[in-house]
Amino acid sequence: SMSASSGAIGSTFTVYGTNLGETIAGFIDDYLCDVKLIDDTSVSLTVPRDTFAGYAGPIKIFSYGGEVSSSTVFTVTSS
């Protein structure tokens, strides 16, 4: 799950799940986000500056154990 389904460029949101302690990358569709590990069940992602308002896509988390993609779409907002 996610703490938000939309956010402005530069904002952060949290992704919750299991075995996130080995997360190596996070994306909004194909846009690489800054990732901050919170604990084994949550990571914080920052909406990248190279996205644009109105862009939407699934959240993808890559870890040493594999890749997971959200069924919920995240939408970049203007503010």
Side-chain angles (χ1 to χ4, degrees):
S1 66
M2 300 181 294
S3 64
S5 60
S6 64
I9 294 169
S11 67
T12 61
F13 62 98
T14 304
V15 175
Y16 302 97
T18 56
N19 300 317
L20 295 175
E22 295 185 348
T23 297
I24 54 175
F27 293 82
I28 298 173
D29 198 20
D30 293 328
Y31 287 90
L32 180 63
C33 300
D34 287 332
V35 176
K36 180 181 176 191
L37 177 65
I38 298 171
D39 57 33
D40 195 47
T41 61
S42 56
V43 292
S44 173
L45 300 181
T46 302
V47 179
R49 301 216 174 271
D50 59 345
T51 59
F52 52 91
Y55 185 80
I59 301 301
K60 299 176 186 176
I61 301 291
F62 291 82
S63 72
Y64 293 109
E67 172 189 348
V68 64
S69 182
S70 70
S71 58
T72 304
V73 171
F74 186 90
T75 303
V76 179
T77 60
S78 59
S79 58

